[in-house]
Amino acid sequence: MSNLFHARRKLERHNNFKLITSVIDWTVALYFVVPAAIISFFLYKDFATYVETLWVAQVPLIIWIMLLLLFTGMPTIRTYLQRADRLFLIQDSKQMIQLKRAGFTWTLTKHLCRIGVYLALLAPIFIKVHHLTILDLLSYLLLLFTASFYNALVNLRIQKKWQQFCISVVVWLTSIALFLYVPPIVTASICLILCIACLIYYNRHFGQSMKHFDQLVELDQVEFYKWQSTIFKTAPELRSTLAPKMKKPRILWRNSKRMFSRSDYFIEELLCKTMLRQSQYKWGYLRLLLTGLGLILVTPVWAKFVLLTLLFFGLRTYIKSILQLTFEHNVWTIFQVSEEQMQRARARLIKGFVDIPVLTVFVMVVVYLIGYS
């Protein structure tokens, strides 16, 4: 691999590392990432040990193959080309070919490892429940890799989305047919021949040719900024440092009616309406609450109470951060509220947004366990 490839890979790693550190600070790592990693390890250990008695044992093998075909699609075949290469690297065709070849090799290797990890995680189901052998898993690994590689080449060659989708459906159906009706050794042989044909095709039409330079650069740039785009889609307010505009809810409290009958609850009134009108506050709270509830419902008994504890502290930290940002607004200099009033309002809001929901989930868990036993 060329030195230019290593330099651009290093730039991309540095860019992704800065992005991760800007999203996952020490509080997020302490309250979510580390506990999630520890809990996931013990959950997977229980899953691998008792997989024959779980509900996943009732899922047909074909469903798992269909899900793997759906979620193991190969991303853009990386070339690590930049627009300036048309001016500065076009005269050194050998180095440009080496750069594209290095990106191609890196993409295939990483994708093959990714499929291997998926199969390894699902190996307890394949081996213990459906009684597949290691050779069977290797043949299905080659099948999934070939299908995704072929689809990636189709996406490079064909620009229309509907044509890409139709060809992908045909590839998936063909892969399922090979899985159902063809012996694994024959399937592996067919996939190996098709992989070699795809390698030759890519090397001839994209690896050594400059015809599709602009298309490859554009696709590579999209892949380079993939994580940034994903985060901006999840939290659009991160695109700019400007304060987000507040909007009235379309259904609830649209006419700004009072939420509380007591007049001394005006601080809670303002803070609750701020939560409703700031989309990032509202949806962030709901995502955290519903994600925790979903995980609690599907995990074993010991993990339910661990997740419930993490949900309590996670919601408490989130609400406290919102309250801190809200209390720093200049509007409170106009109302002239005392620190004691703010403390009482903070306690009531934490009780309403954290204590009551978590207590409700706790009661649901206890009732479920009593009824199940």
Side-chain angles (χ1 to χ4, degrees), residues 1-2 4-6 8-9 12 74-81 95-111 202 220:
M1 296 185 183
S2 63
L4 185 58
F5 169 75
H6 289 297
R8 293 183 179 178
R9 277 286 304 144
E12 184 175 5
M74 182 182 294
T76 303
I77 297 177
R78 301 298 302 274
T79 58
Y80 292 92
L81 291 174
Q95 187 175 5
M96 182 174 288
I97 291 174
Q98 288 179 351
L99 177 64
K100 290 197 289 185
R101 189 171 297 167
F104 175 74
T105 304
W106 171 255
T107 302
L108 294 191
T109 304
K110 185 172 67 172
H111 186 63
Y202 178 85
D220 199 83

PDB file of all heavy atoms in Angstrom, residues 1-2 4-6 8-9 12 74-81 95-111 202 220:
ATOM      1  N   MET A   1       0.834  -1.194   0.000  1.00  0.00           N
ATOM      2  CA  MET A   1       0.000   0.000   0.000  1.00  0.00           C
ATOM      3  C   MET A   1       0.871   1.247   0.000  1.00  0.00           C
ATOM      4  O   MET A   1       1.909   1.289   0.633  1.00  0.00           O
ATOM      5  CB  MET A   1      -0.930   0.001   1.215  1.00  0.00           C
ATOM      6  CG  MET A   1      -1.948  -1.124   1.227  1.00  0.00           C
ATOM      7  SD  MET A   1      -3.099  -0.964   2.599  1.00  0.00           S
ATOM      8  CE  MET A   1      -4.062  -2.464   2.381  1.00  0.00           C
ATOM      9  N   SER A   2       0.425   2.262  -0.688  1.00  0.00           N
ATOM     10  CA  SER A   2       1.237   3.451  -0.860  1.00  0.00           C
ATOM     11  C   SER A   2       1.234   4.306   0.399  1.00  0.00           C
ATOM     12  O   SER A   2       0.343   4.202   1.243  1.00  0.00           O
ATOM     13  CB  SER A   2       0.704   4.264  -2.055  1.00  0.00           C
ATOM     14  OG  SER A   2      -0.620   4.695  -1.781  1.00  0.00           O
ATOM     15  N   LEU A   4       0.710   7.433   0.399  1.00  0.00           N
ATOM     16  CA  LEU A   4      -0.421   8.346   0.283  1.00  0.00           C
ATOM     17  C   LEU A   4      -1.675   7.733   0.892  1.00  0.00           C
ATOM     18  O   LEU A   4      -2.462   8.421   1.554  1.00  0.00           O
ATOM     19  CB  LEU A   4      -0.653   8.690  -1.194  1.00  0.00           C
ATOM     20  CG  LEU A   4      -1.735   9.729  -1.491  1.00  0.00           C
ATOM     21  CD1 LEU A   4      -1.433  11.049  -0.794  1.00  0.00           C
ATOM     22  CD2 LEU A   4      -1.874   9.931  -2.989  1.00  0.00           C
ATOM     23  N   PHE A   5      -1.866   6.451   0.693  1.00  0.00           N
ATOM     24  CA  PHE A   5      -3.020   5.764   1.296  1.00  0.00           C
ATOM     25  C   PHE A   5      -2.942   5.823   2.816  1.00  0.00           C
ATOM     26  O   PHE A   5      -3.934   6.111   3.491  1.00  0.00           O
ATOM     27  CB  PHE A   5      -3.057   4.317   0.818  1.00  0.00           C
ATOM     28  CG  PHE A   5      -4.030   3.462   1.567  1.00  0.00           C
ATOM     29  CD1 PHE A   5      -5.385   3.561   1.336  1.00  0.00           C
ATOM     30  CD2 PHE A   5      -3.587   2.557   2.529  1.00  0.00           C
ATOM     31  CE1 PHE A   5      -6.293   2.767   2.034  1.00  0.00           C
ATOM     32  CE2 PHE A   5      -4.481   1.764   3.225  1.00  0.00           C
ATOM     33  CZ  PHE A   5      -5.837   1.870   2.975  1.00  0.00           C
ATOM     34  N   HIS A   6      -1.774   5.554   3.385  1.00  0.00           N
ATOM     35  CA  HIS A   6      -1.623   5.602   4.836  1.00  0.00           C
ATOM     36  C   HIS A   6      -1.861   7.002   5.373  1.00  0.00           C
ATOM     37  O   HIS A   6      -2.464   7.177   6.445  1.00  0.00           O
ATOM     38  CB  HIS A   6      -0.222   5.122   5.226  1.00  0.00           C
ATOM     39  CG  HIS A   6      -0.011   3.659   5.040  1.00  0.00           C
ATOM     40  ND1 HIS A   6      -0.721   2.703   5.737  1.00  0.00           N
ATOM     41  CD2 HIS A   6       0.831   2.967   4.224  1.00  0.00           C
ATOM     42  CE1 HIS A   6      -0.333   1.491   5.382  1.00  0.00           C
ATOM     43  NE2 HIS A   6       0.616   1.619   4.461  1.00  0.00           N
ATOM     44  N   ARG A   8      -3.831   9.337   4.104  1.00  0.00           N
ATOM     45  CA  ARG A   8      -5.261   9.666   4.058  1.00  0.00           C
ATOM     46  C   ARG A   8      -6.066   8.815   5.024  1.00  0.00           C
ATOM     47  O   ARG A   8      -7.076   9.268   5.564  1.00  0.00           O
ATOM     48  CB  ARG A   8      -5.760   9.511   2.619  1.00  0.00           C
ATOM     49  CG  ARG A   8      -5.134  10.553   1.701  1.00  0.00           C
ATOM     50  CD  ARG A   8      -5.638  10.518   0.287  1.00  0.00           C
ATOM     51  NE  ARG A   8      -4.998  11.575  -0.490  1.00  0.00           N
ATOM     52  CZ  ARG A   8      -5.198  11.791  -1.781  1.00  0.00           C
ATOM     53  NH1 ARG A   8      -6.046  11.012  -2.457  1.00  0.00           N
ATOM     54  NH2 ARG A   8      -4.576  12.771  -2.405  1.00  0.00           N
ATOM     55  N   ARG A   9      -5.644   7.587   5.274  1.00  0.00           N
ATOM     56  CA  ARG A   9      -6.286   6.792   6.308  1.00  0.00           C
ATOM     57  C   ARG A   9      -6.064   7.423   7.683  1.00  0.00           C
ATOM     58  O   ARG A   9      -6.974   7.456   8.512  1.00  0.00           O
ATOM     59  CB  ARG A   9      -5.711   5.373   6.310  1.00  0.00           C
ATOM     60  CG  ARG A   9      -6.322   4.441   5.297  1.00  0.00           C
ATOM     61  CD  ARG A   9      -7.714   3.997   5.682  1.00  0.00           C
ATOM     62  NE  ARG A   9      -7.696   3.374   7.002  1.00  0.00           N
ATOM     63  CZ  ARG A   9      -8.671   3.498   7.876  1.00  0.00           C
ATOM     64  NH1 ARG A   9      -9.729   4.240   7.603  1.00  0.00           N
ATOM     65  NH2 ARG A   9      -8.599   2.901   9.049  1.00  0.00           N
ATOM     66  N   GLU A  12      -8.362  10.364   8.077  1.00  0.00           N
ATOM     67  CA  GLU A  12      -9.737   9.947   8.340  1.00  0.00           C
ATOM     68  C   GLU A  12      -9.893   9.449   9.777  1.00  0.00           C
ATOM     69  O   GLU A  12     -10.894   9.754  10.438  1.00  0.00           O
ATOM     70  CB  GLU A  12     -10.134   8.851   7.352  1.00  0.00           C
ATOM     71  CG  GLU A  12     -11.580   8.420   7.491  1.00  0.00           C
ATOM     72  CD  GLU A  12     -11.968   7.423   6.429  1.00  0.00           C
ATOM     73  OE1 GLU A  12     -11.092   7.005   5.648  1.00  0.00           O
ATOM     74  OE2 GLU A  12     -13.159   7.046   6.389  1.00  0.00           O
ATOM     75  N   MET A  74     -22.377  -4.101   1.409  1.00  0.00           N
ATOM     76  CA  MET A  74     -21.073  -3.447   1.358  1.00  0.00           C
ATOM     77  C   MET A  74     -21.238  -1.960   1.099  1.00  0.00           C
ATOM     78  O   MET A  74     -21.991  -1.560   0.212  1.00  0.00           O
ATOM     79  CB  MET A  74     -20.205  -4.069   0.258  1.00  0.00           C
ATOM     80  CG  MET A  74     -18.803  -3.487   0.169  1.00  0.00           C
ATOM     81  SD  MET A  74     -17.832  -4.209  -1.178  1.00  0.00           S
ATOM     82  CE  MET A  74     -17.680  -5.888  -0.602  1.00  0.00           C
ATOM     83  N   PRO A  75     -20.554  -1.113   1.863  1.00  0.00           N
ATOM     84  CA  PRO A  75     -20.602   0.319   1.581  1.00  0.00           C
ATOM     85  C   PRO A  75     -19.834   0.635   0.308  1.00  0.00           C
ATOM     86  O   PRO A  75     -19.411  -0.258  -0.425  1.00  0.00           O
ATOM     87  CB  PRO A  75     -19.919   0.936   2.803  1.00  0.00           C
ATOM     88  CG  PRO A  75     -19.030  -0.148   3.316  1.00  0.00           C
ATOM     89  CD  PRO A  75     -19.727  -1.440   3.027  1.00  0.00           C
ATOM     90  N   THR A  76     -19.656   1.894   0.041  1.00  0.00           N
ATOM     91  CA  THR A  76     -18.924   2.313  -1.149  1.00  0.00           C
ATOM     92  C   THR A  76     -17.508   1.737  -1.146  1.00  0.00           C
ATOM     93  O   THR A  76     -16.829   1.743  -0.122  1.00  0.00           O
ATOM     94  CB  THR A  76     -18.841   3.843  -1.199  1.00  0.00           C
ATOM     95  OG1 THR A  76     -20.168   4.375  -1.178  1.00  0.00           O
ATOM     96  CG2 THR A  76     -18.135   4.310  -2.460  1.00  0.00           C
ATOM     97  N   ILE A  77     -17.088   1.218  -2.285  1.00  0.00           N
ATOM     98  CA  ILE A  77     -15.714   0.728  -2.413  1.00  0.00           C
ATOM     99  C   ILE A  77     -14.788   1.945  -2.386  1.00  0.00           C
ATOM    100  O   ILE A  77     -14.814   2.784  -3.284  1.00  0.00           O
ATOM    101  CB  ILE A  77     -15.539  -0.075  -3.710  1.00  0.00           C
ATOM    102  CG1 ILE A  77     -16.443  -1.313  -3.684  1.00  0.00           C
ATOM    103  CG2 ILE A  77     -14.085  -0.485  -3.892  1.00  0.00           C
ATOM    104  CD1 ILE A  77     -16.396  -2.136  -4.952  1.00  0.00           C
ATOM    105  N   ARG A  78     -13.983   2.048  -1.341  1.00  0.00           N
ATOM    106  CA  ARG A  78     -13.164   3.228  -1.132  1.00  0.00           C
ATOM    107  C   ARG A  78     -12.008   3.297  -2.128  1.00  0.00           C
ATOM    108  O   ARG A  78     -11.395   2.286  -2.482  1.00  0.00           O
ATOM    109  CB  ARG A  78     -12.593   3.233   0.294  1.00  0.00           C
ATOM    110  CG  ARG A  78     -13.641   3.213   1.393  1.00  0.00           C
ATOM    111  CD  ARG A  78     -14.525   4.446   1.360  1.00  0.00           C
ATOM    112  NE  ARG A  78     -13.743   5.658   1.493  1.00  0.00           N
ATOM    113  CZ  ARG A  78     -13.385   6.187   2.654  1.00  0.00           C
ATOM    114  NH1 ARG A  78     -13.723   5.589   3.779  1.00  0.00           N
ATOM    115  NH2 ARG A  78     -12.686   7.302   2.696  1.00  0.00           N
ATOM    116  N   THR A  79     -11.727   4.516  -2.563  1.00  0.00           N
ATOM    117  CA  THR A  79     -10.567   4.784  -3.423  1.00  0.00           C
ATOM    118  C   THR A  79      -9.614   5.783  -2.799  1.00  0.00           C
ATOM    119  O   THR A  79      -8.458   5.867  -3.211  1.00  0.00           O
ATOM    120  CB  THR A  79     -11.028   5.333  -4.781  1.00  0.00           C
ATOM    121  OG1 THR A  79     -11.795   6.536  -4.575  1.00  0.00           O
ATOM    122  CG2 THR A  79     -11.871   4.311  -5.529  1.00  0.00           C
ATOM    123  N   TYR A  80     -10.109   6.576  -1.833  1.00  0.00           N
ATOM    124  CA  TYR A  80      -9.334   7.619  -1.158  1.00  0.00           C
ATOM    125  C   TYR A  80      -8.802   8.658  -2.151  1.00  0.00           C
ATOM    126  O   TYR A  80      -7.752   9.264  -1.926  1.00  0.00           O
ATOM    127  CB  TYR A  80      -8.189   7.014  -0.337  1.00  0.00           C
ATOM    128  CG  TYR A  80      -8.700   6.223   0.833  1.00  0.00           C
ATOM    129  CD1 TYR A  80      -8.940   4.861   0.720  1.00  0.00           C
ATOM    130  CD2 TYR A  80      -8.992   6.832   2.049  1.00  0.00           C
ATOM    131  CE1 TYR A  80      -9.442   4.132   1.784  1.00  0.00           C
ATOM    132  CE2 TYR A  80      -9.476   6.116   3.120  1.00  0.00           C
ATOM    133  CZ  TYR A  80      -9.701   4.769   2.979  1.00  0.00           C
ATOM    134  OH  TYR A  80     -10.203   4.043   4.038  1.00  0.00           O
ATOM    135  N   LEU A  81      -9.567   8.852  -3.222  1.00  0.00           N
ATOM    136  CA  LEU A  81      -9.229   9.904  -4.176  1.00  0.00           C
ATOM    137  C   LEU A  81      -9.796  11.232  -3.698  1.00  0.00           C
ATOM    138  O   LEU A  81     -10.828  11.285  -3.017  1.00  0.00           O
ATOM    139  CB  LEU A  81      -9.803   9.572  -5.552  1.00  0.00           C
ATOM    140  CG  LEU A  81      -9.184   8.386  -6.296  1.00  0.00           C
ATOM    141  CD1 LEU A  81      -9.962   8.112  -7.577  1.00  0.00           C
ATOM    142  CD2 LEU A  81      -7.717   8.657  -6.622  1.00  0.00           C
ATOM    143  N   GLN A  95       0.985   5.690  -9.274  1.00  0.00           N
ATOM    144  CA  GLN A  95       0.670   5.946  -7.870  1.00  0.00           C
ATOM    145  C   GLN A  95      -0.839   6.028  -7.662  1.00  0.00           C
ATOM    146  O   GLN A  95      -1.354   5.572  -6.634  1.00  0.00           O
ATOM    147  CB  GLN A  95       1.337   7.242  -7.408  1.00  0.00           C
ATOM    148  CG  GLN A  95       1.190   7.483  -5.909  1.00  0.00           C
ATOM    149  CD  GLN A  95       1.953   8.698  -5.450  1.00  0.00           C
ATOM    150  OE1 GLN A  95       2.526   9.415  -6.260  1.00  0.00           O
ATOM    151  NE2 GLN A  95       1.970   8.938  -4.157  1.00  0.00           N
ATOM    152  N   MET A  96      -1.570   6.566  -8.648  1.00  0.00           N
ATOM    153  CA  MET A  96      -3.018   6.642  -8.508  1.00  0.00           C
ATOM    154  C   MET A  96      -3.634   5.241  -8.531  1.00  0.00           C
ATOM    155  O   MET A  96      -4.553   4.943  -7.748  1.00  0.00           O
ATOM    156  CB  MET A  96      -3.620   7.498  -9.621  1.00  0.00           C
ATOM    157  CG  MET A  96      -5.128   7.661  -9.513  1.00  0.00           C
ATOM    158  SD  MET A  96      -5.808   8.807 -10.709  1.00  0.00           S
ATOM    159  CE  MET A  96      -5.218  10.356 -10.026  1.00  0.00           C
ATOM    160  N   ILE A  97      -3.127   4.370  -9.397  1.00  0.00           N
ATOM    161  CA  ILE A  97      -3.624   3.000  -9.436  1.00  0.00           C
ATOM    162  C   ILE A  97      -3.324   2.285  -8.120  1.00  0.00           C
ATOM    163  O   ILE A  97      -4.149   1.542  -7.586  1.00  0.00           O
ATOM    164  CB  ILE A  97      -3.011   2.248 -10.638  1.00  0.00           C
ATOM    165  CG1 ILE A  97      -3.572   2.817 -11.945  1.00  0.00           C
ATOM    166  CG2 ILE A  97      -3.306   0.756 -10.548  1.00  0.00           C
ATOM    167  CD1 ILE A  97      -2.917   2.243 -13.192  1.00  0.00           C
ATOM    168  N   GLN A  98      -2.123   2.519  -7.572  1.00  0.00           N
ATOM    169  CA  GLN A  98      -1.777   1.921  -6.283  1.00  0.00           C
ATOM    170  C   GLN A  98      -2.696   2.418  -5.175  1.00  0.00           C
ATOM    171  O   GLN A  98      -3.088   1.652  -4.286  1.00  0.00           O
ATOM    172  CB  GLN A  98      -0.322   2.234  -5.945  1.00  0.00           C
ATOM    173  CG  GLN A  98       0.700   1.496  -6.783  1.00  0.00           C
ATOM    174  CD  GLN A  98       2.123   1.861  -6.421  1.00  0.00           C
ATOM    175  OE1 GLN A  98       2.348   2.800  -5.641  1.00  0.00           O
ATOM    176  NE2 GLN A  98       3.087   1.151  -6.977  1.00  0.00           N
ATOM    177  N   LEU A  99      -3.047   3.712  -5.219  1.00  0.00           N
ATOM    178  CA  LEU A  99      -3.948   4.280  -4.208  1.00  0.00           C
ATOM    179  C   LEU A  99      -5.326   3.635  -4.296  1.00  0.00           C
ATOM    180  O   LEU A  99      -5.896   3.226  -3.272  1.00  0.00           O
ATOM    181  CB  LEU A  99      -4.043   5.790  -4.391  1.00  0.00           C
ATOM    182  CG  LEU A  99      -5.013   6.530  -3.459  1.00  0.00           C
ATOM    183  CD1 LEU A  99      -4.554   6.392  -2.009  1.00  0.00           C
ATOM    184  CD2 LEU A  99      -5.112   8.007  -3.848  1.00  0.00           C
ATOM    185  N   LYS A 100      -5.872   3.518  -5.489  1.00  0.00           N
ATOM    186  CA  LYS A 100      -7.189   2.909  -5.650  1.00  0.00           C
ATOM    187  C   LYS A 100      -7.156   1.429  -5.286  1.00  0.00           C
ATOM    188  O   LYS A 100      -8.104   0.907  -4.688  1.00  0.00           O
ATOM    189  CB  LYS A 100      -7.680   3.098  -7.086  1.00  0.00           C
ATOM    190  CG  LYS A 100      -8.038   4.540  -7.423  1.00  0.00           C
ATOM    191  CD  LYS A 100      -8.880   4.652  -8.661  1.00  0.00           C
ATOM    192  CE  LYS A 100      -8.080   4.347  -9.898  1.00  0.00           C
ATOM    193  NZ  LYS A 100      -8.891   4.577 -11.125  1.00  0.00           N
ATOM    194  N   ARG A 101      -6.073   0.749  -5.635  1.00  0.00           N
ATOM    195  CA  ARG A 101      -5.957  -0.664  -5.301  1.00  0.00           C
ATOM    196  C   ARG A 101      -5.863  -0.869  -3.786  1.00  0.00           C
ATOM    197  O   ARG A 101      -6.443  -1.818  -3.242  1.00  0.00           O
ATOM    198  CB  ARG A 101      -4.729  -1.249  -6.002  1.00  0.00           C
ATOM    199  CG  ARG A 101      -4.602  -2.755  -5.908  1.00  0.00           C
ATOM    200  CD  ARG A 101      -3.491  -3.233  -6.809  1.00  0.00           C
ATOM    201  NE  ARG A 101      -3.777  -2.945  -8.211  1.00  0.00           N
ATOM    202  CZ  ARG A 101      -2.874  -3.023  -9.191  1.00  0.00           C
ATOM    203  NH1 ARG A 101      -1.626  -3.367  -8.907  1.00  0.00           N
ATOM    204  NH2 ARG A 101      -3.225  -2.767 -10.434  1.00  0.00           N
ATOM    205  N   ALA A 102      -5.153   0.029  -3.112  1.00  0.00           N
ATOM    206  CA  ALA A 102      -5.049  -0.067  -1.650  1.00  0.00           C
ATOM    207  C   ALA A 102      -6.405   0.169  -0.990  1.00  0.00           C
ATOM    208  O   ALA A 102      -6.790  -0.537  -0.053  1.00  0.00           O
ATOM    209  CB  ALA A 102      -4.018   0.929  -1.132  1.00  0.00           C
ATOM    210  N   GLY A 103      -7.137   1.182  -1.483  1.00  0.00           N
ATOM    211  CA  GLY A 103      -8.475   1.427  -0.947  1.00  0.00           C
ATOM    212  C   GLY A 103      -9.422   0.274  -1.209  1.00  0.00           C
ATOM    213  O   GLY A 103     -10.237  -0.092  -0.348  1.00  0.00           O
ATOM    214  N   PHE A 104      -9.318  -0.321  -2.398  1.00  0.00           N
ATOM    215  CA  PHE A 104     -10.144  -1.470  -2.749  1.00  0.00           C
ATOM    216  C   PHE A 104      -9.845  -2.658  -1.833  1.00  0.00           C
ATOM    217  O   PHE A 104     -10.764  -3.310  -1.303  1.00  0.00           O
ATOM    218  CB  PHE A 104      -9.884  -1.829  -4.212  1.00  0.00           C
ATOM    219  CG  PHE A 104     -10.574  -3.074  -4.670  1.00  0.00           C
ATOM    220  CD1 PHE A 104     -11.935  -3.095  -4.895  1.00  0.00           C
ATOM    221  CD2 PHE A 104      -9.856  -4.237  -4.894  1.00  0.00           C
ATOM    222  CE1 PHE A 104     -12.570  -4.239  -5.334  1.00  0.00           C
ATOM    223  CE2 PHE A 104     -10.484  -5.394  -5.324  1.00  0.00           C
ATOM    224  CZ  PHE A 104     -11.836  -5.397  -5.543  1.00  0.00           C
ATOM    225  N   THR A 105      -8.568  -2.935  -1.609  1.00  0.00           N
ATOM    226  CA  THR A 105      -8.169  -4.048  -0.737  1.00  0.00           C
ATOM    227  C   THR A 105      -8.634  -3.810   0.699  1.00  0.00           C
ATOM    228  O   THR A 105      -9.130  -4.727   1.372  1.00  0.00           O
ATOM    229  CB  THR A 105      -6.644  -4.225  -0.771  1.00  0.00           C
ATOM    230  OG1 THR A 105      -6.216  -4.406  -2.123  1.00  0.00           O
ATOM    231  CG2 THR A 105      -6.214  -5.411   0.066  1.00  0.00           C
ATOM    232  N   TRP A 106      -8.482  -2.572   1.163  1.00  0.00           N
ATOM    233  CA  TRP A 106      -8.905  -2.243   2.525  1.00  0.00           C
ATOM    234  C   TRP A 106     -10.410  -2.409   2.687  1.00  0.00           C
ATOM    235  O   TRP A 106     -10.886  -2.951   3.695  1.00  0.00           O
ATOM    236  CB  TRP A 106      -8.475  -0.825   2.861  1.00  0.00           C
ATOM    237  CG  TRP A 106      -9.027  -0.311   4.144  1.00  0.00           C
ATOM    238  CD1 TRP A 106     -10.041   0.588   4.312  1.00  0.00           C
ATOM    239  CD2 TRP A 106      -8.619  -0.680   5.473  1.00  0.00           C
ATOM    240  NE1 TRP A 106     -10.285   0.820   5.635  1.00  0.00           N
ATOM    241  CE2 TRP A 106      -9.428   0.049   6.373  1.00  0.00           C
ATOM    242  CE3 TRP A 106      -7.647  -1.533   5.971  1.00  0.00           C
ATOM    243  CZ2 TRP A 106      -9.292  -0.061   7.741  1.00  0.00           C
ATOM    244  CZ3 TRP A 106      -7.519  -1.653   7.342  1.00  0.00           C
ATOM    245  CH2 TRP A 106      -8.331  -0.918   8.204  1.00  0.00           C
ATOM    246  N   THR A 107     -11.186  -1.984   1.697  1.00  0.00           N
ATOM    247  CA  THR A 107     -12.642  -2.092   1.768  1.00  0.00           C
ATOM    248  C   THR A 107     -13.089  -3.543   1.829  1.00  0.00           C
ATOM    249  O   THR A 107     -13.914  -3.918   2.664  1.00  0.00           O
ATOM    250  CB  THR A 107     -13.283  -1.403   0.555  1.00  0.00           C
ATOM    251  OG1 THR A 107     -12.880  -0.031   0.509  1.00  0.00           O
ATOM    252  CG2 THR A 107     -14.801  -1.458   0.647  1.00  0.00           C
ATOM    253  N   LEU A 108     -12.541  -4.373   0.941  1.00  0.00           N
ATOM    254  CA  LEU A 108     -12.940  -5.782   0.924  1.00  0.00           C
ATOM    255  C   LEU A 108     -12.530  -6.503   2.203  1.00  0.00           C
ATOM    256  O   LEU A 108     -13.296  -7.311   2.748  1.00  0.00           O
ATOM    257  CB  LEU A 108     -12.333  -6.477  -0.293  1.00  0.00           C
ATOM    258  CG  LEU A 108     -12.812  -6.030  -1.675  1.00  0.00           C
ATOM    259  CD1 LEU A 108     -12.312  -6.986  -2.738  1.00  0.00           C
ATOM    260  CD2 LEU A 108     -14.324  -5.929  -1.737  1.00  0.00           C
ATOM    261  N   THR A 109     -11.327  -6.220   2.681  1.00  0.00           N
ATOM    262  CA  THR A 109     -10.859  -6.883   3.898  1.00  0.00           C
ATOM    263  C   THR A 109     -11.723  -6.498   5.099  1.00  0.00           C
ATOM    264  O   THR A 109     -12.133  -7.361   5.892  1.00  0.00           O
ATOM    265  CB  THR A 109      -9.396  -6.516   4.166  1.00  0.00           C
ATOM    266  OG1 THR A 109      -8.599  -6.861   3.028  1.00  0.00           O
ATOM    267  CG2 THR A 109      -8.866  -7.245   5.389  1.00  0.00           C
ATOM    268  N   LYS A 110     -12.003  -5.213   5.237  1.00  0.00           N
ATOM    269  CA  LYS A 110     -12.821  -4.757   6.364  1.00  0.00           C
ATOM    270  C   LYS A 110     -14.238  -5.321   6.287  1.00  0.00           C
ATOM    271  O   LYS A 110     -14.811  -5.726   7.315  1.00  0.00           O
ATOM    272  CB  LYS A 110     -12.851  -3.220   6.379  1.00  0.00           C
ATOM    273  CG  LYS A 110     -13.570  -2.625   7.569  1.00  0.00           C
ATOM    274  CD  LYS A 110     -13.402  -1.125   7.626  1.00  0.00           C
ATOM    275  CE  LYS A 110     -14.108  -0.446   6.485  1.00  0.00           C
ATOM    276  NZ  LYS A 110     -14.114   1.039   6.629  1.00  0.00           N
ATOM    277  N   HIS A 111     -14.783  -5.381   5.075  1.00  0.00           N
ATOM    278  CA  HIS A 111     -16.150  -5.898   4.942  1.00  0.00           C
ATOM    279  C   HIS A 111     -16.200  -7.394   5.209  1.00  0.00           C
ATOM    280  O   HIS A 111     -17.155  -7.894   5.819  1.00  0.00           O
ATOM    281  CB  HIS A 111     -16.669  -5.593   3.538  1.00  0.00           C
ATOM    282  CG  HIS A 111     -18.102  -5.950   3.346  1.00  0.00           C
ATOM    283  ND1 HIS A 111     -19.132  -5.367   4.052  1.00  0.00           N
ATOM    284  CD2 HIS A 111     -18.702  -6.879   2.542  1.00  0.00           C
ATOM    285  CE1 HIS A 111     -20.288  -5.888   3.702  1.00  0.00           C
ATOM    286  NE2 HIS A 111     -20.054  -6.806   2.788  1.00  0.00           N
ATOM    287  N   TYR A 202     -13.893  -5.051 -11.835  1.00  0.00           N
ATOM    288  CA  TYR A 202     -13.581  -3.799 -11.151  1.00  0.00           C
ATOM    289  C   TYR A 202     -12.193  -3.299 -11.538  1.00  0.00           C
ATOM    290  O   TYR A 202     -12.010  -2.095 -11.779  1.00  0.00           O
ATOM    291  CB  TYR A 202     -13.652  -3.995  -9.633  1.00  0.00           C
ATOM    292  CG  TYR A 202     -13.301  -2.738  -8.871  1.00  0.00           C
ATOM    293  CD1 TYR A 202     -14.251  -1.754  -8.612  1.00  0.00           C
ATOM    294  CD2 TYR A 202     -12.002  -2.513  -8.415  1.00  0.00           C
ATOM    295  CE1 TYR A 202     -13.928  -0.602  -7.934  1.00  0.00           C
ATOM    296  CE2 TYR A 202     -11.672  -1.355  -7.732  1.00  0.00           C
ATOM    297  CZ  TYR A 202     -12.636  -0.405  -7.497  1.00  0.00           C
ATOM    298  OH  TYR A 202     -12.301   0.753  -6.831  1.00  0.00           O
ATOM    299  N   ASP A 220     -16.540   8.583  -2.502  1.00  0.00           N
ATOM    300  CA  ASP A 220     -15.570   8.464  -1.420  1.00  0.00           C
ATOM    301  C   ASP A 220     -15.737   9.583  -0.403  1.00  0.00           C
ATOM    302  O   ASP A 220     -15.573   9.367   0.804  1.00  0.00           O
ATOM    303  CB  ASP A 220     -14.152   8.496  -1.984  1.00  0.00           C
ATOM    304  CG  ASP A 220     -13.140   7.924  -1.007  1.00  0.00           C
ATOM    305  OD1 ASP A 220     -12.998   6.686  -0.973  1.00  0.00           O
ATOM    306  OD2 ASP A 220     -12.523   8.707  -0.274  1.00  0.00           O
TER     307      ASP A 220
END
